[in-house]
Amino acid sequence: MGTQKPNLPKGTRDFGPEKMVKRNFIFDAIKGTFQKFGFQPLETPAIENLSVLTGKYGDEGDQLLFKILNSGDFLSKTSPEDLESGSRTLLPKISEKGMKYDLTVPFARYVVMNQHNITFPFKRYQIQPVWRADRPQKGRYREFYQCDADVIGTDSLICESEIILMIKEVFGKLGIQKYDIKINNRKILGAIANYIGVPGKISDFCVAIDKLDKIGLEGVLKELEKRSFPKESLKKLGPIINFSGSNEEKISFLGKLISEEQEGISEIKQIFGFLQSFGTDAEHVDFDPTLARGLSYYTGTIFEVKVKDVSIGSVSGGGRYDDLTGIFGLPGVSGVGFSFGVDRIYDVMEELDLFPKDNLISTKVLIANFGADSEKHALTTLKKLRDTEIKSEIYPDAVKLKKQLNYADKKAIPFVIMIGEDEIKNGSFTLKDMQKGQQERLDLEALLNKLKD
Amino acid sequence: MGTQKPNLPKGTRDFGPEKMVKRNFIFDAIKGTFQKFGFQPLETPAIENLSVLTGKYGDEGDQLLFKILNSGDFLSKTSPEDLESGSRTLLPKISEKGMKYDLTVPFARYVVMNQHNITFPFKRYQIQPVWRADRPQKGRYREFYQCDADVIGTDSLICESEIILMIKEVFGKLGIQKYDIKINNRKILGAIANYIGVPGKISDFCVAIDKLDKIGLEGVLKELEKRSFPKESLKKLGPIINFSGSNEEKISFLGKLISEEQEGISEIKQIFGFLQSFGTDAEHVDFDPTLARGLSYYTGTIFEVKVKDVSIGSVSGGGRYDDLTGIFGLPGVSGVGFSFGVDRIYDVMEELDLFPKDNLISTKVLIANFGADSEKHALTTLKKLRDTEIKSEIYPDAVKLKKQLNYADKKAIPFVIMIGEDEIKNGSFTLKDMQKGQQERLDLEALLNKLKD
């Protein structure tokens, strides 16, 4: 075997120690919050049968699934005609499995397969990578983590209000202060479509209005015109999109306008009511009747979170669905879920310089290595440090001190212990503070106390 | 789309909440130990280029790689001849990527690609799933986690002694008490091969002696005979395999026997010396000159850990390698690493009933839901519980209490709070202890104190 220059597949990434520690800071904030709210962890395999995945994400999604070649002689089930028939026809003969595209469909599969053992309502969170054969670009990867939490088996709107609380709690832990949690309801969008006289065109309506942020009111109206919405309808829509005011004002305005279909409005009101019972003000929460969300399985409340002052898309989103598990044979189970976009949150935190400097330390102290004589004392000390739960290590070789200090510096280890002849004689330790550049002589007890958290 | 009965690919598993919590208990013990010893986290993608993976695991390994079909029209780069030429020839034209088979090769790739940014010695741990298209059987899966820690860029034997300490620490945390850490050195195996007069047949020798546990001395000798080892050699080998005694006795016996090649023996002695400096007795550590380990890249110390009284193979293993990164263009970098087999450790802990009962609680308390009036108080209380970092939830619907208590029971929630008319009037709370079946009336302060950890 010759030497080869290795590289990474397009759209995939290594996460080295520095990035891992920062990512884990985000994951821990999210996980801690999910757990505090009673959500339990679930993991599903990276690999799913294509029969489970295909047809769930639209034609485009099917294209973006990573397919796995059947193992062994993958051509054994193919006929000569199959081979000539092109990729599409050949595919199902040579590939039965794919990599998961999101966490929602595998969750639905899990719920259906385990419906008799699950106690509903089932609150689960799931933090795992997913894969999409998308064209890689800035901020879009072929392998990336999703962080989902869902409650399934209840239509209580308390769940919606708790999602808002969880978003607030996570952002609080991360130090993100300026953000909007936009909230709307698919039923309101339906009612608006009815009100403006296009009851059959709800999905066209949602697709167009979803672009409001990017193309503005003019653009949305133009797009709807192209989709042959009558002039009359567009005239009625303008004031709805243009209306601004507090949450209460928007609710009241819309409530009067679509007075015959109050269900969506009533749900929004209830959610704000629950927030009040929780003693949480509605800061950050913005009822936005133009929020649509792309995914088609939402049937009730929808959410989307954007951080202000950064040009990064939504960092969290979700909604209520009435029939996620129907496709797998378990109809009529309502649920609500949401997801954090960790890659984007990471970028936001880098841009706003929000990662804490101190909490991310891995090793607390390095013991310098001065060769065999000192080593014995060093190892004894190391044992005591670790028995005191102090993250610590010894430089494994007796190289020049400068090199060892450089190692501590690069690894952001804040302290270095030196045990030379003098120290061995006195039973003392010289502790160097790498940030301050100062050093002091300490006995064992003082040393351990100083380094304990 | 019709209804379909979903299923899981062969050899893959879902990890529901109960299993996840237990698995996380193991992962946390391992992670915490790695970090305490100065190891830093690394994650590499699930997907690697096949050029990185192929040829690293032998022919059998190449067969067991999961290959990913090129996305889009995967036949576009193929000629009619390719299609007729069979799976092996067609494969490289339709698949450029595969799923990672272990954590070691991607680690080597990472080190080579980032050699100018890494400060050596580099201590990294990596806990991620790997995939093998193996025939699934009891305890063998197609998707499973590996937990690796390696130090690369030093040949200091302190690293070996710290691996022993880490194994002891992890097993201590997990409550596993009866186990053997077998240790040997490839150089000793080489010296034995020389001593018995088969210097060119070290790998044959290792393969055969690796089976000692399964087929006994007779079997090993028979196998070596088949591999045309001379009678003379087998005669000399018998006493070595049969020798029993303390570590010191074995070291002394072998040291005299292979007196011309002391390097391996000297390394073993140094490792025991370091353990002594650490103040750790050599309990659990067993120098076993017949330990061989399958993988061929080991060149120095090798380890293997088995738990006693259970019929489960080795639960941890590893060794020193001199040239892991050579294949990717960075030769002569020595390192040493080891790995925990989490699936097997899980089975061991189930078999020995070692999972703690209390620590694995997810939600601490459930607030029962008695409908709108009580709900308001319930949500206010819930907020206070969570502000006190108590993991808590409310049953989202006002269903029969029995159903709610059943939910708490199934989810192993130890406490349930009930806020009825009386409690609302008094500002008090009824707390039900689910295990004892008792309930008491408490004010808010007493409630929070009782539920705090």
Side-chain angles (χ1 to χ4, degrees):
Chain A
M1 295 182 292
T3 286
Q4 32 173 254
K5 216 181 170 119
N7 52 17
L8 271 175
K10 265 191 304 184
T12 69
R13 295 162 289 170
D14 289 320
F15 298 109
E18 208 189 325
K19 280 188 186 146
M20 278 296 289
V21 171
K22 288 178 177 174
R23 283 170 67 86
N24 283 340
F25 180 74
I26 299 172
F27 285 130
D28 288 345
I30 294 172
K31 248 185 261 179
T33 303
F34 287 163
Q35 287 171 6
K36 198 159 142 185
F37 280 70
F39 288 77
Q40 297 180 299
L42 171 70
E43 279 188 17
T44 65
I47 301 176
E48 292 277 354
N49 287 318
L50 281 176
S51 57
V52 165
L53 300 176
T54 312
K56 309 302 185 299
Y57 309 105
D59 279 351
E60 203 204 351
D62 285 352
Q63 295 294 319
L64 299 183
L65 291 172
F66 276 112
K67 286 109 185 167
I68 295 165
L69 261 178
N70 293 342
S71 38
D73 179 11
F74 57 87
L75 289 179
S76 63
K77 285 183 195 160
T78 59
S79 67
E81 294 82 54
D82 291 333
L83 288 174
E84 283 163 25
S85 61
S87 297
R88 261 185 192 248
T89 316
L90 184 58
L91 177 67
K93 316 261 169 160
I94 63 174
S95 170
E96 283 160 9
K97 292 183 285 287
M99 300 183 70
K100 70 175 169 227
Y101 181 88
D102 72 359
L103 303 179
T104 308
V105 167
F107 171 56
R109 176 196 53 68
Y110 174 84
V111 169
V112 174
M113 283 177 68
N114 296 278
Q115 55 185 290
H116 303 299
N117 298 316
I118 292 174
T119 313
F120 293 97
F122 180 43
K123 301 171 85 169
R124 86 85 175 80
Y125 72 86
Q126 194 169 349
I127 299 181
Q128 290 192 279
V130 300
W131 293 267
R132 295 181 185 179
D134 232 327
R135 198 178 302 274
Q137 59 184 57
K138 190 176 176 298
R140 189 199 285 163
Y141 305 99
R142 292 186 147 191
E143 173 172 335
F144 59 96
Y145 270 78
Q146 291 194 331
C147 299
D148 283 20
D150 289 79
V151 193
I152 193 165
T154 171
D155 50 17
S156 165
L157 296 165
I158 292 179
C159 305
E160 270 87 339
S161 67
E162 292 200 297
I163 287 178
I164 292 171
L165 293 183
M166 284 190 277
I167 293 169
K168 286 187 167 203
E169 171 138 347
V170 167
F171 280 33
K173 281 184 187 167
L174 297 180
I176 299 175
Q177 289 175 333
K178 294 183 182 173
Y179 61 92
D180 280 328
I181 305 172
K182 298 202 172 211
I183 176 172
N184 193 15
N185 194 305
R186 276 284 164 92
K187 292 168 190 163
I188 293 177
L189 288 168
I192 293 175
N194 287 342
Y195 165 76
I196 65 170
V198 289
K201 298 189 155 208
I202 295 177
S203 73
D204 272 359
F205 178 60
C206 285
V207 167
I209 211 166
D210 205 28
K211 299 180 186 163
L212 185 62
D213 265 10
K214 283 186 200 151
I215 59 178
L217 176 58
E218 290 294 298
V220 170
L221 294 180
K222 234 178 249 167
E223 175 141 354
L224 289 174
E225 212 176 336
K226 246 189 278 166
R227 289 166 191 258
S228 48
F229 275 53
K231 281 242 162 77
E232 184 74 358
S233 298
L234 302 183
K235 226 188 203 167
K236 283 173 104 175
L237 183 61
I240 297 178
I241 294 185
N242 268 335
F243 187 87
S244 72
S246 68
N247 289 324
E248 289 71 23
E249 286 163 349
K250 282 186 276 188
I251 289 171
S252 153
F253 167 77
L254 259 179
K256 279 173 207 156
L257 222 57
I258 54 172
S259 55
E260 282 170 32
E261 285 181 79
Q262 286 290 317
E263 207 179 331
I265 289 288
S266 150
E267 289 184 8
I268 291 281
K269 277 187 195 165
Q270 276 186 69
I271 294 167
F272 277 106
F274 286 133
L275 286 180
Q276 211 170 4
S277 295
F278 269 117
T280 305
D281 54 35
E283 203 196 338
H284 301 298
V285 188
D286 178 28
F287 167 48
D288 178 356
T290 70
L291 175 70
R293 299 280 299 162
L295 272 168
S296 57
Y297 56 77
Y298 293 131
T299 49
T301 316
I302 43 182
F303 303 98
E304 196 166 275
V305 186
K306 277 189 181 154
V307 179
K308 291 175 180 175
D309 304 334
V310 293
S311 59
I312 289 166
S314 66
V315 295
S316 176
R320 178 170 288 278
Y321 38 82
D322 274 346
D323 195 22
L324 190 65
T325 55
I327 183 70
F328 296 125
L330 184 66
V333 185
S334 185
V336 59
F338 76 121
S339 183
F340 286 106
V342 168
D343 289 306
R344 286 185 175 173
I345 292 176
Y346 186 99
D347 290 345
V348 164
M349 293 191 58
E350 282 288 18
E351 199 168 323
L352 301 178
D353 196 23
L354 292 177
F355 284 111
K357 307 286 176 278
D358 294 352
N359 286 2
L360 303 180
I361 287 164
S362 44
T363 299
K364 188 75 177 278
V365 63
L366 173 77
I367 305 188
N369 191 325
F370 297 120
D373 281 347
S374 149
E375 228 166 51
K376 197 178 150 16
H377 294 267
L379 297 186
T380 313
T381 309
L382 195 50
K383 176 77 163 51
K384 283 175 186 147
L385 289 165
R386 287 173 180 159
D387 284 349
T388 321
E389 298 301 323
I390 295 163
K391 289 174 187 158
S392 44
E393 56 184 293
I394 181 170
Y395 195 92
D397 302 288
V399 296
K400 281 194 183 135
L401 182 60
K402 201 181 157 194
K403 196 176 176 189
Q404 302 188 40
L405 293 178
N406 180 54
Y407 172 87
D409 193 45
K410 284 282 167 60
K411 213 170 162 178
I413 300 175
F415 294 100
V416 175
I417 294 172
M418 285 169 286
I419 312 174
E421 273 177 47
D422 261 25
E423 286 88 349
I424 295 174
K425 246 183 257 157
N426 312 332
S428 69
F429 304 86
T430 296
L431 184 70
K432 186 178 172 75
D433 183 321
M434 293 293 289
Q435 270 136 336
K436 294 184 188 149
Q438 293 163 348
Q439 50 190 61
E440 57 184 326
R441 211 39 106 79
L442 298 168
D443 65 11
L444 181 65
E445 202 188 330
L447 182 77
L448 296 178
N449 274 328
K450 173 109 189 182
L451 294 172
K452 252 192 298 192
D453 281 320
Chain B
M1 294 182 294
T3 285
Q4 33 173 251
K5 217 180 167 123
N7 53 16
L8 271 175
K10 265 192 305 183
T12 68
R13 295 162 289 171
D14 290 319
F15 298 110
E18 206 189 325
K19 280 188 186 148
M20 277 296 291
V21 171
K22 287 178 177 173
R23 283 170 68 86
N24 283 339
F25 180 75
I26 300 173
F27 285 131
D28 288 346
I30 295 172
K31 248 185 262 180
T33 303
F34 287 162
Q35 287 171 6
K36 197 160 143 183
F37 280 71
F39 288 77
Q40 298 179 299
L42 171 71
E43 280 188 17
T44 64
I47 301 177
E48 293 276 353
N49 287 318
L50 280 174
S51 57
V52 165
L53 300 176
T54 311
K56 310 302 185 298
Y57 308 106
D59 278 350
E60 204 204 350
D62 285 352
Q63 295 294 320
L64 299 184
L65 291 173
F66 276 111
K67 286 109 185 168
I68 295 165
L69 261 178
N70 294 342
S71 37
D73 179 11
F74 57 86
L75 290 178
S76 62
K77 286 183 195 160
T78 58
S79 66
E81 294 81 54
D82 291 333
L83 287 174
E84 283 164 26
S85 62
S87 296
R88 258 183 194 251
T89 317
L90 183 58
L91 178 67
K93 317 260 168 162
I94 62 172
S95 169
E96 283 160 10
K97 292 183 284 290
M99 300 182 70
K100 71 175 169 226
Y101 181 89
D102 71 0
L103 303 179
T104 307
V105 168
F107 171 56
R109 176 196 53 69
Y110 174 84
V111 169
V112 174
M113 282 177 68
N114 296 277
Q115 55 185 289
H116 303 299
N117 298 317
I118 291 173
T119 312
F120 293 97
F122 181 43
K123 302 171 83 167
R124 86 84 175 78
Y125 72 86
Q126 195 168 351
I127 300 181
Q128 290 191 279
V130 300
W131 293 266
R132 296 180 184 179
D134 233 327
R135 199 178 300 274
Q137 58 184 57
K138 192 181 173 296
R140 190 200 284 164
Y141 304 99
R142 293 185 147 193
E143 172 173 333
F144 59 97
Y145 269 79
Q146 290 194 332
C147 299
D148 284 20
D150 289 79
V151 194
I152 193 164
T154 172
D155 50 17
S156 165
L157 297 164
I158 293 179
C159 305
E160 270 88 338
S161 67
E162 292 199 297
I163 287 177
I164 293 171
L165 293 184
M166 284 189 277
I167 293 169
K168 286 187 168 202
E169 172 138 347
V170 167
F171 280 31
K173 281 183 187 169
L174 298 179
I176 300 174
Q177 290 176 332
K178 294 183 181 174
Y179 59 93
D180 281 327
I181 304 172
K182 297 202 173 209
I183 176 171
N184 194 16
N185 194 305
R186 275 284 162 93
K187 292 168 190 163
I188 293 176
L189 288 168
I192 293 175
N194 286 343
Y195 164 77
I196 66 171
V198 289
K201 298 187 155 212
I202 295 178
S203 73
D204 271 0
F205 178 59
C206 286
V207 167
I209 211 165
D210 205 28
K211 300 181 186 164
L212 185 62
D213 264 9
K214 282 185 201 151
I215 60 179
L217 175 56
E218 289 294 298
V220 170
L221 294 179
K222 232 178 250 170
E223 174 140 355
L224 289 173
E225 211 175 337
K226 248 190 276 167
R227 290 168 191 257
S228 49
F229 275 52
K231 283 241 163 74
E232 184 74 359
S233 299
L234 302 183
K235 228 189 208 163
K236 284 172 104 173
L237 183 60
I240 297 178
I241 295 184
N242 268 335
F243 187 86
S244 72
S246 67
N247 289 324
E248 291 71 26
E249 286 163 350
K250 282 186 276 188
I251 289 171
S252 150
F253 168 77
L254 258 179
K256 279 173 207 155
L257 222 58
I258 54 173
S259 56
E260 282 170 31
E261 285 181 80
Q262 286 290 317
E263 207 179 332
I265 289 288
S266 148
E267 289 183 8
I268 290 281
K269 277 187 193 163
Q270 276 186 71
I271 294 168
F272 278 106
F274 287 132
L275 286 180
Q276 213 169 6
S277 296
F278 269 116
T280 305
D281 55 35
E283 203 195 339
H284 301 297
V285 188
D286 178 27
F287 167 49
D288 179 356
T290 69
L291 175 69
R293 298 280 299 162
L295 271 169
S296 58
Y297 57 76
Y298 293 130
T299 50
T301 316
I302 43 182
F303 304 97
E304 196 165 276
V305 186
K306 276 187 182 157
V307 179
K308 291 175 179 173
D309 304 333
V310 292
S311 59
I312 288 167
S314 65
V315 295
S316 176
R320 178 169 288 278
Y321 39 81
D322 275 347
D323 196 22
L324 189 66
T325 55
I327 182 71
F328 296 125
L330 184 67
V333 184
S334 185
V336 59
F338 77 120
S339 183
F340 286 107
V342 169
D343 289 306
R344 286 182 175 176
I345 292 177
Y346 186 99
D347 290 346
V348 165
M349 293 190 59
E350 282 287 19
E351 199 167 324
L352 301 178
D353 196 22
L354 292 177
F355 284 110
K357 306 287 177 278
D358 293 352
N359 287 2
L360 303 180
I361 287 166
S362 44
T363 300
K364 189 74 175 280
V365 63
L366 173 77
I367 305 188
N369 191 325
F370 296 120
D373 280 347
S374 150
E375 229 167 51
K376 197 179 151 15
H377 293 268
L379 297 185
T380 312
T381 310
L382 195 50
K383 176 77 163 49
K384 284 175 185 146
L385 289 164
R386 287 173 180 159
D387 284 348
T388 321
E389 299 300 321
I390 294 163
K391 290 173 186 155
S392 44
E393 55 185 295
I394 181 171
Y395 196 92
D397 302 287
V399 297
K400 279 194 184 139
L401 182 60
K402 201 182 157 191
K403 196 176 175 188
Q404 302 189 40
L405 292 177
N406 181 54
Y407 173 87
D409 193 47
K410 283 282 167 61
K411 213 171 162 178
I413 301 175
F415 295 99
V416 174
I417 295 173
M418 285 169 287
I419 312 176
E421 272 177 46
D422 261 25
E423 286 87 350
I424 294 175
K425 246 184 259 159
N426 310 332
S428 68
F429 305 86
T430 295
L431 184 70
K432 187 179 173 74
D433 183 320
M434 292 294 287
Q435 270 137 335
K436 295 184 189 151
Q438 292 164 347
Q439 50 191 59
E440 57 184 329
R441 211 37 106 79
L442 298 168
D443 65 10
L444 182 65
E445 202 189 329
L447 182 78
L448 295 178
N449 275 329
K450 173 110 191 182
L451 293 172
K452 251 191 301 192
D453 281 321

